[in-house]
Amino acid sequence: YSVNIIPGRETEDIVNIDENLKAGCEEAALTGKKIYVRGDYRSGKTTVLKYFMNKAWDMFGVKESEILFLSCEQFINMVTEGIRSNDMTEFRDKLAEAKMIIIDDIQFFAGKNAIQCEFRNVLEMDKVIIVSGVDESERFPLDELVVNMLKPFTVMEITKY
């Protein structure tokens, strides 16, 4: 693995995580509490997110019980259920209670306006926020507001070789 850390750019098995990825996680955590893990499919992004989750106390002073880890599907389902029931309280309460929010595969929010609106709300929170995604802006175009809100995030680019 090759890891490239880009602070604030302008434009399963945790025991077996590669040493370069561990070092990259440690370096990214030192740059701040907003991190965007980016890489190709099957490059290890979810494993990196789980590593951050398992090291949350050491890196950010966050207990395991204060972490909300959501796949893109879970996030979409929670927002959809809130919209369907006309009550976003439960979803927003879960977000408010967490001190660390981790969301995997944000590229699948492309074209889903209501989902991206709620995602923007998450990005504005003063919490540890770590997201992952595939950088395929042509195939999965996120709205311009989301793209701009991700610009100050530290980018952790993962390349599998």
Side-chain angles (χ1 to χ4, degrees), residues 7-159:
R9 65 190 163 74
E10 281 304 316
T11 41
E12 261 0 337
D13 185 359
I14 302 307
V15 174
N16 292 328
I17 190 169
D18 179 274
E19 288 302 316
N20 286 337
L21 289 178
K22 283 182 186 177
C25 290
E26 300 289 337
E27 185 179 341
L30 291 174
T31 65
K33 59 183 192 172
K34 306 271 185 169
I35 301 170
Y36 180 12
V37 180
R38 205 167 58 188
D40 291 332
Y41 292 102
R42 314 275 314 147
S43 63
K45 295 180 305 297
T46 302
T47 300
V48 167
L49 295 181
K50 289 179 180 179
Y51 183 78
F52 276 120
M53 188 172 81
N54 282 294
K55 294 293 186 177
W57 180 256
D58 297 335
M59 293 180 178
F60 305 105
V62 176
K63 298 177 200 165
E64 187 177 337
S65 61
E66 300 169 325
I67 301 170
L68 180 61
F69 187 111
L70 298 171
S71 67
C72 67
E73 184 178 15
Q74 290 170 315
F75 187 91
I76 290 169
N77 289 342
M78 291 173 82
V79 172
T80 303
E81 181 56 36
I83 292 169
R84 193 174 294 139
S85 68
N86 202 25
D87 183 7
M88 296 292 287
T89 307
E90 183 180 344
F91 173 67
R92 290 186 178 144
D93 285 350
K94 282 186 182 190
L95 293 172
E97 291 168 6
K99 290 189 178 176
M100 179 178 196
I101 300 170
I102 302 174
I103 303 174
D104 196 11
D105 287 330
I106 64 168
Q107 73 272 9
F108 294 117
F109 296 163
K112 297 172 177 69
N113 293 334
I115 304 302
Q116 289 189 71
C117 180
E118 288 301 322
F119 182 57
R120 287 192 305 267
N121 292 336
V122 170
L123 296 177
E124 289 178 334
M125 295 177 164
D126 185 25
K127 299 176 181 282
V128 177
I129 298 176
I130 304 175
V131 299
S132 77
V134 174
D135 189 23
E136 290 191 29
S137 52
E138 290 178 18
R139 189 167 159 207
F140 298 107
L142 294 170
D143 76 32
E144 190 174 341
L145 285 171
V146 169
V147 171
N148 287 334
M149 291 175 84
L150 288 169
K151 284 183 179 178
F153 276 52
T154 296
V155 175
M156 182 177 173
E157 289 197 47
I158 301 172
T159 306

